[in-house]
Amino acid sequence: MQALYGQLMLGLINGSFYALLSLGLAVIFGMLNIINFAHGALYMMGAFCAWFLLHFFGLNYWWALVLAPLLVGIFGIALERCLLQWIKGLDPVYGLLLTFGIALIIQGLFQNYFGSSGLPYSIPRELSGAVNLGFMYLPIYRGWVVVFSLAVCLATWFMIEKTRLGGYLRAATENPELVRAFGINVPRMIMLTYGLGVGLAALAGVLSAPINQVGPLMGARLIIVVFAVVVIGGMGSIMGSIVTGFALGVIEGLTKYFWPEASSVVVFALMVVVLLVRPAGLTGRTA
């Protein structure tokens, strides 16, 4: 039973990263209609940013939680202003190809300077150790990752779905001319939306750094699974990405316990089933 509980905990941790990354993808696709294949590379940049802040500036994990999403978000805004704005209104496949190329360039640059091996990033002292729950020992940092990720996901959903700012964002993507007539700067809102999605990816990278070693390939290994999560939840669905991310993490963990050989394909098998039954995804809007 301890092994089962351990796999469930591992599934929740993976689900936290799936949820944060798929949430960022859903925000970008739902608001900008861009399939952002560079998301994995930006997740990796968030982890490297935390490592740089610690080793070159002496800024610890708590500073990295704030600064890394901000810095990578600014980098994402620069990408949107310099490159992505030119494919606005075109078929989403152009955005996929462009961001795929950007991801290869970023990954190649980091791999050229740091190689393929990972760099260690220590758990902050305040979150080290474990708690005895009676049926298992829960590492404090891993519990923090699950709770903090869920809080960030729900706060993002609330901002987009329940606030006036979120209403402006949705309106700016559906009818930009009307929103512009009310004096709202639509390009700026689109730019900030992309920065928000990228910042969520970088935040996931910072959370992942003490668990997984910081390396240039860490995003490439994760992004395919995250795209499957987004497809299952429904492209552009905020709550669908959150729920599906955590749920698939748990399902993957249970599969590793009961049928380890199928753990690497269970997410994609579920994606195929969902696409056959409901092509728009579990919570996506049908045409």
Side-chain angles (χ1 to χ4, degrees):
M1 292 304 295
Q2 286 188 347
L4 175 60
Y5 294 141
Q7 288 299 333
L8 281 174
M9 189 65 217
L10 181 63
L12 277 175
I13 294 168
N14 289 335
S16 301
F17 299 137
Y18 296 163
L20 271 178
L21 285 166
S22 61
L23 176 61
L25 279 175
V27 168
I28 292 172
F29 182 80
M31 302 296 173
L32 280 69
N33 202 33
I34 293 174
I35 302 174
N36 187 32
F37 214 92
H39 219 61
L42 297 167
Y43 159 81
M44 176 266 294
M45 286 183 66
F48 265 103
C49 190
W51 189 86
F52 288 144
L53 288 172
L54 178 62
H55 288 82
F56 292 102
F57 300 98
L59 299 176
N60 62 18
Y61 172 85
W62 304 107
W63 280 103
L65 275 180
V66 177
L67 294 178
L70 182 63
L71 295 173
V72 179
I74 292 172
F75 176 77
I77 288 174
L79 282 180
E80 195 277 332
R81 288 290 87 191
C82 296
L83 297 174
L84 296 179
Q85 69 164 330
W86 303 108
I87 59 172
K88 181 183 176 183
L90 300 180
D91 192 285
V93 71
Y94 290 100
L96 187 151
L97 293 173
L98 177 58
T99 54
F100 180 67
I102 293 171
L104 290 179
I105 292 171
I106 295 173
Q107 181 180 306
L109 289 173
F110 276 85
Q111 198 167 4
N112 182 56
Y113 284 99
F114 296 98
S116 298
S117 59
L119 301 170
Y121 189 90
S122 59
I123 294 174
R125 187 181 68 255
E126 298 87 348
L127 299 176
S128 60
V131 176
N132 187 358
L133 299 180
F135 55 90
M136 67 173 289
Y137 281 92
L138 172 65
I140 295 175
Y141 183 76
R142 284 160 172 76
W144 154 260
V145 168
V146 174
V147 173
F148 183 71
S149 299
L150 181 60
V152 170
C153 289
L154 293 178
T156 304
W157 170 82
F158 183 84
M159 184 196 72
I160 293 176
E161 298 292 339
K162 301 297 181 180
T163 65
R164 180 176 296 182
L165 175 61
Y168 288 157
L169 288 173
R170 297 194 305 274
T173 57
E174 294 177 6
N175 196 334
E177 290 78 14
L178 180 62
V179 173
R180 194 177 290 111
F182 284 95
I184 298 173
N185 192 325
V186 174
R188 181 182 299 170
M189 296 193 70
I190 292 175
M191 175 184 68
L192 293 176
T193 300
Y194 189 80
L196 171 64
V198 167
L200 289 171
L203 180 62
V206 177
L207 293 173
S208 175
I211 298 176
N212 307 300
Q213 287 192 322
V214 179
L217 301 179
M218 60 186 297
R221 290 191 292 261
L222 197 60
I223 191 62
I224 302 300
V225 178
V226 173
F227 266 103
V229 171
V230 174
V231 171
I232 293 172
M235 293 294 290
S237 172
I238 305 299
M239 185 55 70
S241 296
I242 298 171
V243 174
T244 306
F246 280 101
L248 288 183
V250 173
I251 291 172
E252 191 179 52
L254 289 173
T255 306
K256 287 180 180 178
Y257 179 79
F258 290 106
W259 191 10
E261 296 82 1
S263 61
S264 60
V265 299
V266 62
V267 173
F268 304 106
L270 288 172
M271 182 182 70
V272 171
V273 173
V274 169
L275 288 177
L276 290 174
V277 176
R278 186 177 172 82
L282 296 177
T283 59
R285 291 178 295 181
T286 56

